[in-house]
């Protein structure tokens, strides 16, 4: 037995040696390739572009057409790899960690987190590249985007030019508004919703009066240092003090109102564990909810739900990190051709032909143009249906048949009206308090959704949550954030 | 060296049979062991790839382990993980052995096959689907259980915000899913028992009960011990799907549903510190390893032949 075991380990050792030799061969082959590419500067390069969205059947076909165009313009071809919504963060994490060849990576505050991964070294710092090859970008994109997406003073990505501020609205299912002749013009605060919700609850007991999922967050005039962690700065602050948002009177009042609505049955009993409100919007079985808006959003919603939706403002229009970092394209730190990648990003954000090809596919096959600015999808567009927001400058896109001609003008006006958050472009670095952050995250998960949706009584649970956050070390995290914020203020003369 | 080579030649058939498994273990268990070094590093990407990243990342000592022992949650997650796993092992063992014995005693073999398949089926369901099954029973306003309670005039229960029911629900759901698979293993081993032992017992006038307790169970005990030892090794790992999907990640239930794996996931999903999640995994395997060694030691003391090694 012992003897055979020894020979077994011998086999293992042989195997290991074999594998090492194999991998060494593989490595040297790669190197050789890398070297032989270098002298041939004129050879066209291929850029690998990872982006988010359900993989489309015609991606390769469209990219062939795109490559033909870019080969002419910048001597580069494009390979696009789409990764489905839910898999994107994990898949990209693995790709970056394992050094998979990539040139352009989609990133966002909600996708493959931009700030965190920039700090971890996933993206290439692009200040010089932007200066050298990105002139078009600097001229076209709202400067607030480039400013707001800086991490520790450097640019690591090109944000998509789209709606810039974050503004919440109350949305209403117009069918019910008309049926009961409700006046929505007087609605603004959370409290002002009450009479409307009450009417609906009485007259339509089977309709969800106030629709929401577990991510619901009442509007209060603070900006979060990290999304959904209870550290925030008041929007009209002068001393830049970070507070625990759960301890503010505004939050207390909002949560009390939410709990009142919950008890009254305006809110679905399982709101705190509901992942999305798709069921409600599809069935039309809801009356009011809160959403982020953009110009002409009512038309968009009405068209996608199939019944009229109207909205009225619920908050001011604020430009914060979250709204600025909603869609960014970065250059991978391991990119072999960062200059070409930058040239491509520049072209993508300034050239309408390329931008629309990437967005809608091949003209005459996936879409047709109606006039200079409008286009119409053809049946084949189903096999190339891309999320526009993630693919660069939106304001170059052709309009849909029923879009108003001044759509992008309205966007520019909307963007100009947004007010900067006091902590716009301050990005907290949690490395030093990583241990506490993990504990604080857990407390947040435990209390957040049930408090915010009004499921639990704030009189009882708010003190409990505050206590648990303290135990988890929130004070230490806030102190660290405050130190960083003060340093940032001094550096930026705020 | 010569002796070793001779040995190799003599056992070539055996070694060849072991080869596929050895390769698998090498790639998926031994090779990744090198990666545990990440648990002691603040992992940062390097453009040269994974190995370069490991080399250039900063050493942080035991810092990555601290979050597991920080604050009041440390006690709760350790307690939950351990107690649930002990309950799963004990109750699961008793029920799957009982089920296997019952199935082996069934005379109608077609019927036995049907039961077996029916019990086996849940094992293949994903936890996400099981989570929705449970939701269709426990939903506040449309759940089957609340509707039945309503018929009897009992007040509806907010299942997803009341922790007191969940230890039972979780144990039940886990057993429902796992028993079929385990009982098949025991059943296979029962069917391997020499039938002549039962014939001899019957001639001596042993009742069914006596046959089960004096023949089936004693002969089944080696496999029971092996299965239990293996389960003990994973006692610090919680089934993530069970504890995350089935309670629908409801915050109010955390006191009874938060286990090490869900704690790690919730704590790190936004910061994505690879070093800290590696540290958690390493901690779980080390504790599991120690527990297997201890329990194997105890088993060996009592019955040398049943021990794993």
């Amino acid at each position: 037995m012992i003897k055979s075991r020894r020979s077994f380990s011998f086999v293992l050792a042989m195997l290991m040696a074999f594998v090492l030799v194999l991998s060494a061969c593989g490595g040297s082959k790669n190197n050789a390739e890398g070297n032989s590419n270098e002298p041939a500067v004129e050879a066209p390069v291929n850029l690998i572009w990872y982006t988010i969205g359900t993989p489309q059947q015609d991606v390769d076909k469209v990219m062939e057409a795109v490559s033909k165009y870019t080969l002419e313009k910048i001597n580069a071809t494009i390979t696009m790899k789409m990764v489905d919504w839910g898999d994107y963060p994990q898949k990209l994490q693995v790709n970056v960690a394992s050094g998979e060849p990539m040139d352009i990576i989609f990133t966002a505050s909600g996708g493959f987190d931009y700030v965190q991964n920039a700090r971890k070294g996933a993206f290439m710092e692009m200040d010089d590249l932007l200066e050298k090859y990105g002139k078009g970008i600097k001229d076209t994109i709202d400067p607030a985007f480039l400013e707001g997406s800086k991490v520790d003073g450097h640019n690591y990505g090109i944000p998509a030019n789209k709606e810039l501020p974050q503004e919440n609205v109350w949305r209403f299912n117009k069918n019910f508004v008309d049926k009961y002749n409700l006046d929505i013009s007087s609605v603004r605060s959370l409290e002002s919703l009450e009479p409307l919700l009450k009417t609906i609850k009485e007259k339509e007991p089977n309709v969800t009066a106030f629709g929401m999922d577990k991510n619901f967050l009442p509007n209060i005039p603070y900006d979060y240092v990290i999304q959904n962690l209870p550290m925030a700065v008041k929007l009209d602050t002068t001393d830049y003090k970070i507070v625990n948002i759960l301890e503010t009177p505004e939050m207390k009042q909002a949560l009390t109102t939410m709990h009142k609505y919950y008890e009254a049955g305006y809110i679905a009993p399982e709101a705190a564990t509901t992942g999305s409100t798709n069921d409600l919007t599809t069935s039309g079985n809801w009356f009011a909810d809160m959403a982020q808006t953009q110009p002409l959003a009512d038309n968009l919603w009405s068209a996608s739900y199939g019944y009229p939706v109207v909205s009225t403002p619920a908050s001011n229009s604020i430009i914060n990190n979250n709204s600025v970092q909603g869609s960014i394209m970065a250059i991978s730190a391991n990119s072999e051709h960062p200059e070409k990648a930058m040239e491509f990003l520049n072209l993508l954000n300034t050239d309408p032909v390329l931008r629309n090809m990437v967005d809608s596919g091949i003209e005459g096959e996936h879409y047709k143009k109606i006039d200079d600015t409008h286009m119409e999808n053809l049946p084949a567009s189903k096999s190339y249906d891309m999320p526009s927001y993630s693919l660069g400058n939106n304001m170059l896109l052709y309009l849909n048949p029923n879009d108003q001609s001044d759509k992008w003008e309205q966007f520019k006006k909307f963007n100009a009206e947004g007010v900067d958050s006091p902590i716009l472009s301050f990005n907290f670095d949690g490395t030093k308090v990583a241990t506490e952050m993990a504990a604080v995250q857990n407390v947040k998960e435990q209390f957040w959704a049930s408090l915010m949706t009004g499921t639990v009584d704030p009189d009882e649970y708010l003190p409990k949550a505050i206590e648990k956050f303290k135990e988890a070390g929130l004070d230490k995290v806030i102190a660290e954030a405050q130190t960083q914020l003060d340093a940032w203020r001094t550096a930026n003369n705020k | 060296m010569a002796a070793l080579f001779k040995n190799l030649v003599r056992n070539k058939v055996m070694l060849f049979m072991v080869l596929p498994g050895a390769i698998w273990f090498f790639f998926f268990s031994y090779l990744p062991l090198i990666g545990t070094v990440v648990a002691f590093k603040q992992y940062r990407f390097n453009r040269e790839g994974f190995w370069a990243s490991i080399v250039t990342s900063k050493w942080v000592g035991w810092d990555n382990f601290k979050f597991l022992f920080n604050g009041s949650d440390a006690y709760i997650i350790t307690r939950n993980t351990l107690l649930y796993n002990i309950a799963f092992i004990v109750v699961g063992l008793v029920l799957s052995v009982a089920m296997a014995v019952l199935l082996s005693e069934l005379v109608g073999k077609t019927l036995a096959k049907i039961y077996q398949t029916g019990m086996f089926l849940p094992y293949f369901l994903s936890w996400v689907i099981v989570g929705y099954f449970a939701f269709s029973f426990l939903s506040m306003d449309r759940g089957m259980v609340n509707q039945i309670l309503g018929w009897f005039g009992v007040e509806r229960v907010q299942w997803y915000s009341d922790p007191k029911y969940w230890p039972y629900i979780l144990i039940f759901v886990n057993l429902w899913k796992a028993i079929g698979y385990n009982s098949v293993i025991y059943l296979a081993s029962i069917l391997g028992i020499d039938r002549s032992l039962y014939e001899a017992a019957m001639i001596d006038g042993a009742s069914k009960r006596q046959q089960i307790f004096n023949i089936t169970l004693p002969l089944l005990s080696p496999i029971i011990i092996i299965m239990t030892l293996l389960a003990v090794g994973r006692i610090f790992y919680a089934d993530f799907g069970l504890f995350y999907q089935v309670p629908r990640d409801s915050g109010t239930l955390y006191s009874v549903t938060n286990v090490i794996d869900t704690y790690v996931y919730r704590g790190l999903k936004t910061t994505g510190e690879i070093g800290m999640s590696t540290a958690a995994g390493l901690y779980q395997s080390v504790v599991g390893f120690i527990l297997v060694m201890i329990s194997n030691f105890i088993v060996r003391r009592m019955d040398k032949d049943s021990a794993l090694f």
Side-chain angles (χ1 to χ4, degrees), chain B residues 12-123:
Chain B
K12 60 178 183 290
V13 179
M14 290 293 183
L15 283 170
F16 192 69
M17 282 163 74
V18 164
L19 196 62
I23 293 174
W24 192 93
F25 270 110
F26 175 73
F27 277 107
F28 295 104
S29 297
Y30 288 95
L31 201 61
L33 273 179
I34 306 163
T36 41
V37 71
V38 173
F40 304 96
K41 293 220 163 196
Q42 189 186 75
Y43 189 83
R44 290 295 176 267
F45 300 124
N46 184 301
R47 57 170 294 167
E48 302 301 329
F50 180 63
W51 298 109
S53 305
I54 288 189
V55 174
T56 53
S57 291
K58 196 172 74 185
W59 288 99
V60 292
W62 296 95
D63 278 5
N64 285 334
F65 291 84
K66 279 186 188 156
F67 82 106
L68 286 169
F69 308 101
N70 186 40
S72 57
D73 282 337
Y75 164 70
I76 290 179
I77 56 172
T78 314
R79 178 200 69 185
N80 285 350
T81 312
L82 275 177
L83 288 185
Y84 276 120
N85 275 325
I86 291 171
F88 294 159
I89 291 172
V90 174
V91 186
L93 175 72
V94 172
L95 287 183
S96 12
V97 170
M99 207 57 88
V101 171
L102 285 180
L103 281 177
S104 72
E105 296 294 337
L106 275 182
V107 185
K109 286 301 161 201
T110 7
L111 220 52
K113 279 273 175 306
I114 291 173
Y115 291 142
Q116 208 177 319
T117 316
M119 277 167 43
F120 207 17
L121 215 56
Y123 179 77

Side-chain angles (χ1 to χ4, degrees), chain A residues 39 44 62 99 106 113 119 123 156 182 205 243-244 269 295 299 314 323 331 355 383 389 425 432 443 447:
Chain A
V62 173
F106 168 81
D113 190 273
R119 285 215 172 103
F123 311 134
Y156 289 89
L182 298 166
V243 294
N244 179 351
N299 298 349
S323 67
I331 297 177
R355 179 65 186 91
S383 42
Y389 87 100
S425 87
K432 276 193 199 154
V443 179
F447 287 99

